[in-house]
């Protein structure tokens, strides 16, 4: 961005980043490239994407509020920093000391391969047995010592996996370096992943590290506190217009639900933390801040638990840590929640209430957001978008033979060429059999099991990426077998190459969507105008079908309850049909009746308007079909037939974009702004 450009003058955009462990080194180049032309408003991600999302949010806050106009220049340099400039990607993944054997095996396996790793594990036992035999102990003793050593080694490894890994939170790396000096230089250059993240984000936001005092009442300057969600929003009020928003996914394994940080849903108020537990996975400043901002405390089984701070007071780094807890590599985060698994008794008498047991709390393990949502492309969707949402996808090329994939760097970044492109899902986890012939699915058992896990995680989002109004705004960055993924020991040259690939992805988006972009200047088909048009056509077609379904169901007779139209008279709360007799001592949940007769009449008038609109659209669609000879009646989905329209994806037939979009009710999430019906 030009030094003279006012940030507020930049067009706004949203950004969603896919998870990918170390593939996230793609993102500094992408974020810096987009920041030169756009102002970020909403940012989302999961896993490694959450790291980049947190950095992006801190940098945007820094250049808008924190006095850091150079924040995104610093972001652009992060790839060099973790590639060996001032730190090292390997050092960021610092294992718990008790798990050093497993840590050594992981790094050995990544660098030398599984066979060499097995040889390294077995070689000490073989050397001892061979030495005993050559020393005159005999071949029997030599074999006994060899096999005994192997059994002891395997037993030690199994013990570490079965007992050591769970004790460490199911991950080799806690994310911090315990006892490290809490200064920016120490955290950035010698700290583990979360230490480095904390120092980096605070620096980008124009804040300090290591300055949060212990104790809730000790004075604390704003510039010394960890960056919080309220800082990004511009107000702790979650209903206020937000300057900058951040949404990260995380997975609650203990209750088997997905959460979206910062826990705006009601269940988020039921989460507690134990400070000593969080101190094992988060930097000291962040934990001390959370203790200061806690919303209360309880004592359960002799353990003091603090209620999580209000959403606006939650540190951004806390959300990043929750989302990136990659199972086995980075330990899960322990929180606590009230146990609601035992149903309450229906007896509500005073004696029963007095004899109830106190609330029971259980530990809830929070792990990688990518387990449930690795690429939340619809996180910021509205029916008709008012600004572009750019989605950065990461995908590995098939292994074993690069001839199956792109040959040049220019081909490693890809976007749909037109509205008919990217209609079919790509094949994944494929490899060439025997070094030649055609490509097939991975024939190994590990490949099959991996495909099951990845399909369960990603199937819905993979399908969503193929829909109109989604696929045209997604840029895919391809990685080779030795890039990204679990390649924690990538050399600096590879990291720099991936970051450049990310910058190329930003360039593709700017060229296509920005008013100053090359494609936009040339009047190309694809771009922001096309995206808005595609979303409008798809939305109108979906609304038409939704209204038709409502109209048909409204008048449909039901043997037990009659039609919805017949039941309208009973909407009034004073209608005789709503009179209920509640037994003494019992509580009855309200049946969602309107609060007054006037409210019921207003709601009924609104429904009448909806039915009249549905009937009007249906009549006009039928008349249009009669005039044009079309086989189906629709105002917003023209064309000779659905089959022929699908061949061109609606591009030239007059049909709405394919595949068609339907409307189904689902929870709108925890954001209280979703309750504001008219905005």
């Amino acid at each position: 961005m030009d030094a003279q450009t006012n940030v507020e003058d930049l067009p706004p955009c949203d950004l969603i980043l896919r998870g990918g462990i170390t593939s996230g080194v793609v993102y500094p180049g992408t974020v810096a490239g987009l920041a030169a032309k756009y102002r970020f408003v909403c940012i989302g991600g999961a896993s490694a994407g959450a790291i980049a999302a947190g950095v992006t949010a801190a940098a945007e806050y820094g250049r808008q509020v924190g006095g850091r106009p150079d924040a995104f220049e610093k972001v652009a340099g992060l790839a060099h920093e973790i590639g060996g400039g001032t730190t090292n990607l390997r050092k960021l993944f610092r294992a718990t000391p008790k798990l050093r054997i497993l840590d050594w095996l992981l790094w050995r396996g990544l660098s030398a391969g599984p066979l060499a790793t097995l040889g390294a594990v077995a070689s000490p036992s073989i050397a001892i047995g061979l030495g005993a035999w050559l020393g005159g102990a005999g071949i029997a003793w030599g074999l006994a010592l060899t096999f005994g050593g192997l059994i002891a080694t395997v037993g030690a490894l199994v013990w570490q996996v079965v007992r050591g890994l769970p004790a460490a939170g199911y991950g080799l790396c806690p994310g911090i370096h315990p006892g490290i000096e809490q200064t920016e230089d120490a955290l950035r250059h010698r700290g583990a992943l979360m230490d480095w993240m904390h120092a980096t984000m605070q620096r980008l936001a124009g804040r300090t590290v290591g300055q949060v005092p212990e104790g809730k009442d000790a004075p604390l300057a704003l510039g010394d506190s960890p960056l919080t969600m309220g800082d990004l929003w511009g107000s702790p009020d979650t209903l206020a217009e937000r300057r900058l928003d951040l949404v990260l996914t995380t997975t609650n394994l203990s209750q088997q639900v997905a959460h979206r940080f910062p826990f705006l849903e009601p269940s988020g108020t039921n989460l507690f933390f134990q400070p000593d537990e969080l101190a094992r996975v988060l930097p000291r400043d962040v934990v001390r801040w959370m203790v200061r901002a806690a919303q209360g405390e309880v004592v359960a089984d002799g353990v003091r638990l603090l209620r999580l701070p209000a959403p606006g007071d939650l540190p951004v780094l806390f959300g990043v840590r929750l989302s990136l807890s990659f199972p086995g590599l980075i330990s899960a985060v322990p929180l606590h929640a009230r146990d609601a698994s035992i149903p309450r008794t229906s007896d509500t008498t005073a004696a029963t209430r007095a004899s109830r047991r106190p609330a029971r709390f259980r530990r809830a393990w929070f792990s990688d957001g990518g387990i449930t949502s690795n690429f939340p492309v619809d996180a910021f969707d509205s029916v008709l978008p008012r600004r572009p949402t750019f989605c950065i996808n990461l995908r590995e090329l098939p292994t074993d033979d690069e001839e199956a994939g792109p040959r040049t760097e220019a081909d490693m970044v890809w976007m749909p060429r037109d509205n008919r492109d990217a209609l079919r899902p790509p094949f994944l986890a494929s490899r060439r059999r025997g070094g030649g012939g055609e490509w097939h699915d991975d024939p190994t058992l590990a490949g099959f099991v991996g495909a099951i896990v990845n399909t369960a995680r990603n199937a819905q989002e993979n399908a969503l990426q193929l829909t109109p109004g989604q696929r045209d705004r997604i840029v895919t960055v391809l990685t080779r077998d030795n890039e990204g993924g679990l390649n924690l020991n990538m050399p600096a040259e590879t990291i720099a190459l991936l970051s450049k690939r990310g910058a190329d992805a930003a360039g593709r988006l700017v060229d296509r969507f920005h008013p100053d972009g090359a494609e936009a200047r040339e009047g190309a088909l694809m771009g922001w105008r096309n995206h808005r048009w595609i979303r409008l056509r798809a939305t109108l077609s979906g609304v038409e079908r939704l209204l038709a379904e409502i109209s048909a169901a409204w008048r449909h007779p039901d043997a037990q309850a009659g039609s919805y139209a017949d039941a309208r008279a009973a909407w009034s709360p004073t209608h005789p049909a709503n009179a209920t007799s509640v037994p003494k001592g019992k509580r009855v949940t309200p049946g969602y009746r309107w609060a007054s007769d006037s409210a019921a009449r207003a709601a009924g008038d609104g429904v009448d308007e909806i039915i009249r609109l549905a009937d009007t659209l249906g009549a006009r669609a039928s008349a249009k079909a009669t005039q044009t000879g079309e086989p189906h009646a629709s105002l917003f989905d023209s064309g000779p037939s659905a089959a022929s329209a699908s061949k061109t994806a609606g591009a030239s037939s007059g049909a709405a974009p394919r595949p068609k979009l339907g409307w189904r009710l689902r929870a709108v999430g925890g954001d209280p702004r979703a309750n504001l019906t008219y905005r």
Side-chain angles (χ1 to χ4, degrees), residues 44-94:
S47 193
I51 297 177
V55 166
T56 304
E60 188 63 88
Y61 174 88
R63 75 168 174 176
Q64 290 190 35
V65 180
R68 294 303 304 262
D70 63 341
F72 284 103
E73 295 176 18
K74 301 297 183 184
V75 171
L78 291 181
H80 171 71
E81 182 173 325
I82 63 176
T86 58
T87 183
N88 182 277
L89 184 62
R90 167 69 177 91
K91 293 180 181 178
L92 295 179
F93 294 89
R94 186 185 300 270

Side-chain angles (χ1 to χ4, degrees), residues 439-479:
W439 286 80
H440 300 274
D441 292 337
D442 188 337
T444 65
L445 178 60
F448 183 71
V449 173
I452 292 174
V453 173
N454 288 326
T455 303
R457 292 171 54 224
N458 302 319
Q460 293 190 25
E461 291 172 352
N462 288 342
L464 189 59
Q465 292 176 56
L466 306 178
T467 58
Q470 294 284 359
R471 57 181 183 260
D472 62 306
R473 68 182 185 182
I474 299 174
V475 58
T476 298
V477 179
L478 301 173
T479 59

Side-chain angles (χ1 to χ4, degrees), residues 368-421:
D368 196 286
I371 296 172
T372 48
S373 182
N374 205 34
F375 194 28
V377 293
D378 62 338
F380 308 123
D381 272 355
S382 58
V383 175
L384 297 178
R386 292 178 287 180
R387 58 178 175 264
T389 297
F390 300 132
C391 303
I392 317 300
N393 189 24
L394 303 172
R395 182 161 63 86
E396 293 184 10
L397 280 174
T399 57
D400 295 344
D401 189 342
E402 197 170 311
E403 291 182 2
R407 296 170 182 265
T408 67
E409 271 300 304
D411 296 326
M412 297 295 286
V413 178
W414 182 85
M415 288 189 73
R417 295 161 295 184
D418 54 46
N419 289 328
R420 292 170 292 182
D421 208 359

Side-chain angles (χ1 to χ4, degrees), residues 498-521:
L498 287 174
S499 183
K500 181 182 181 304
R501 218 172 279 168
D504 292 343
R508 298 284 185 96
L509 291 169
V510 168
D511 282 347
R512 180 165 292 185
F513 284 89
H514 195 274
D516 296 334
E519 291 187 34
R521 291 197 307 269

